[in-house]
Amino acid sequence: MASRRDGPGLRGLLAPPLLLLLLPPLLAPWPAAGHGGKYSREKNEPERPSQREPAAEFRMEKLNQLWDKAQRLQLSPVDLSELHADLKIQERDEFAWKKLKAEGLDEDGEKEAKLIRNLNVILAKYRLDGRKDARALRSNSLAEGTEQDSLEDPRLEKLWHKAKTSGKFSRDELDKLWREFQHHREKVREYNVLLETLSRTEEIQENAISPSDMRRPQEEVLHSRHADLKDRLRRISQGYDRLRRVSHQGYGAEAEFEEPRVIDLWDLARSANFSEKELEAFREELKHFEVKIEKHNHYQKQLEISHQKLRHVERFGDHEHVSRNKERYAMLEEKTKELGYKVKKHLQDLSGRISRARHNEL
């Protein structure tokens, strides 16, 4: 297995503020004005194809630069499709924030700060933060599978090894359990990035000279972020307890949902301020959401298989086979990106509804 860490902590993930160099402007010469008449060569020769650059993936230049960097790092096709969806969500949220700011609706700057925190999470998650740590890149080889993916916590590694060798799980159940372990690892990573960001914010505010009337709103914002982190840590602890229980006992027949994100949402919804009717409607929506996730998982697997096949055909196949496999790969890549965005947007919407319901309790 890949190198392991001494514990789940990922303190210090954040690099200094990202200083992205602006791409140089395209220096293409403007076509010279034609001086000939209607029978001149310029007027009668076929027009040359446009030399324009392909359309950018995103409307925001900083996100295009991150996307280009990720491609240079040679992330796996699945990681790239996931990053693409995350950046699309980030772009949507940033444009929404700009509209709010123009209307004067983010006076305390908390929505802007949340956008920065979200981007920091993305940078750390896909290793775009400039840090070289023990997190191994996900392998492009299907044969190597999960053996190359570190869980970054000896306790989780031990549980996973116990589950694999226990004989209590089918192949499909092991795949399902592995997704739960990965989901738990991502929650720990995100928690540590947010904790690091909050610590830096507090240091800056402690050293800043601010009028007394500004300190109270700042303290309220910090208190809210501390409460959020405390809640995240509680859910991480509960998630670990669940992984330990399932690893020892196996899956029971009573599980209502299978996907880790859906399980988390259902647990949160049951503790939120939903009426019985609202909770039942939410349960039904979660069932639809789980189907959407399963469809996305299917396309992710097909994308990996197509990527492996394309690499093989490029080495040993003829031009026709290469062209056909490239077309299929491009189709799967686009579909996986599209579904990834829909899943993340739906997750964001469901999480927001739970947050609003829990806020109404206060």
Side-chain angles (χ1 to χ4, degrees):
M1 221 174 236
S3 61
R4 297 177 180 151
R5 310 288 289 267
D6 294 330
L10 293 174
R11 296 293 302 269
L13 266 178
L14 296 179
L18 189 63
L19 299 177
L20 295 170
L21 297 176
L22 293 177
L23 295 175
L26 299 175
L27 301 177
W30 291 96
H35 296 291
K38 65 179 179 178
Y39 298 110
S40 67
R41 182 191 301 176
E42 292 89 348
K43 294 291 183 181
N44 288 281
E45 280 188 346
E47 185 177 349
R48 294 182 180 181
S50 171
Q51 298 298 315
R52 289 183 301 173
E53 290 292 314
E57 287 287 332
F58 304 95
R59 289 183 290 169
M60 300 183 71
E61 182 61 19
K62 69 177 180 182
L63 300 186
N64 280 315
Q65 291 176 6
L66 289 176
W67 178 246
D68 291 343
K69 180 176 181 179
Q71 291 177 308
R72 290 196 302 273
L73 289 176
Q74 297 183 325
L75 300 185
S76 74
V78 170
D79 277 345
L80 277 175
S81 68
E82 285 288 283
L83 171 63
H84 191 275
D86 280 331
L87 292 178
K88 279 290 184 185
I89 293 289
Q90 180 75 17
E91 183 172 62
R92 185 195 70 163
D93 291 346
E94 292 214 20
F95 278 118
W97 168 76
K98 286 182 178 180
K99 184 177 179 182
L100 285 176
K101 185 181 179 184
E103 296 170 357
L105 298 179
D106 188 27
E107 292 183 359
D108 61 2
E110 176 55 18
K111 289 184 173 60
E112 181 182 14
K114 184 178 180 181
L115 284 172
I116 294 171
R117 294 196 297 272
N118 290 345
L119 187 58
N120 281 333
V121 169
I122 292 173
L123 294 176
K125 181 179 179 182
Y126 298 99
R127 300 161 297 278
L128 300 173
D129 50 9
R131 298 184 63 87
K132 295 181 180 180
D133 57 19
R135 289 170 291 159
L137 292 178
R138 185 180 298 180
S139 171
N140 279 329
S141 170
L142 289 175
E144 292 170 349
T146 58
E147 296 301 322
Q148 292 294 320
D149 218 349
S150 170
L151 292 170
E152 302 171 1
D153 180 353
R155 297 179 306 164
L156 295 180
E157 301 278 9
K158 186 176 180 180
L159 285 179
W160 172 240
H161 178 74
K162 185 178 182 67
K164 279 196 304 181
T165 57
S166 67
K168 297 177 181 178
F169 299 91
S170 66
R171 182 68 246 178
D172 286 344
E173 286 176 332
L174 276 178
D175 287 343
K176 172 184 169 183
L177 182 60
W178 178 247
R179 289 197 300 273
E180 288 203 49
F181 273 98
Q182 288 180 309
H183 180 61
H184 184 84
R185 178 191 61 191
E186 294 306 318
K187 288 196 294 185
V188 173
R189 283 181 178 176
E190 184 170 333
Y191 171 83
N192 283 308
V193 172
L194 295 174
L195 179 62
E196 177 72 18
T197 306
L198 179 57
S199 298
R200 293 187 179 190
T201 302
E202 287 179 323
E203 288 177 9
I204 291 170
Q205 291 196 4
E206 284 175 7
N207 296 324
I209 301 175
S210 303
S212 57
D213 59 341
M214 290 180 60
R215 287 193 174 274
R216 184 174 180 81
Q218 291 172 351
E219 289 171 359
E220 290 175 355
V221 167
L222 290 176
H223 177 75
S224 172
R225 287 168 63 180
H226 274 291
D228 175 63
L229 282 174
K230 185 177 180 180
D231 189 49
R232 286 173 182 266
L233 189 59
R234 179 183 59 79
R235 299 204 304 268
I236 287 171
S237 178
Q238 291 174 342
Y240 176 76
D241 289 342
R242 170 185 163 74
L243 287 174
R244 184 174 55 185
R245 184 176 66 254
V246 173
S247 298
H248 284 83
Q249 301 174 5
Y251 283 110
E254 75 284 351
E256 185 157 13
F257 299 106
E258 294 189 356
E259 285 299 325
R261 285 171 288 186
V262 181
I263 292 170
D264 275 356
L265 287 171
W266 180 234
D267 288 343
L268 288 170
R270 285 186 298 177
S271 64
N273 191 28
F274 285 126
S275 67
E276 189 174 332
K277 184 177 179 181
E278 289 172 330
L279 190 60
E280 183 57 34
F282 198 84
R283 182 208 304 261
E284 289 302 312
E285 188 166 354
L286 286 179
K287 290 179 181 178
H288 293 297
F289 181 50
E290 188 165 58
V291 170
K292 189 182 291 184
I293 292 176
E294 289 168 354
K295 184 177 180 181
H296 182 225
N297 289 341
H298 169 75
Y299 271 93
Q300 285 184 323
K301 290 177 183 176
Q302 293 303 308
L303 181 65
E304 286 281 15
I305 292 170
S306 177
H307 181 252
Q308 296 300 317
K309 189 174 181 181
L310 177 59
R311 288 173 64 188
H312 177 78
V313 170
E314 284 177 333
R315 292 177 63 189
F316 304 108
D318 56 34
H319 177 74
E320 183 181 347
H321 278 84
V322 171
S323 178
R324 192 160 56 242
N325 277 274
K326 280 186 175 179
E327 287 179 8
R328 174 167 172 75
Y329 178 76
M331 181 274 292
L332 287 169
E333 184 181 39
E334 196 59 35
K335 186 66 176 178
T336 307
K337 287 178 183 177
E338 177 189 335
L339 283 171
Y341 174 76
K342 288 180 178 178
V343 165
K344 289 178 187 293
K345 184 177 182 299
H346 200 168
L347 175 62
Q348 191 180 56
D349 292 342
L350 292 169
S351 300
R353 283 167 55 187
I354 293 173
S355 295
R356 288 190 293 274
R358 298 180 77 188
H359 182 73
N360 288 340
E361 297 174 359
L362 305 177

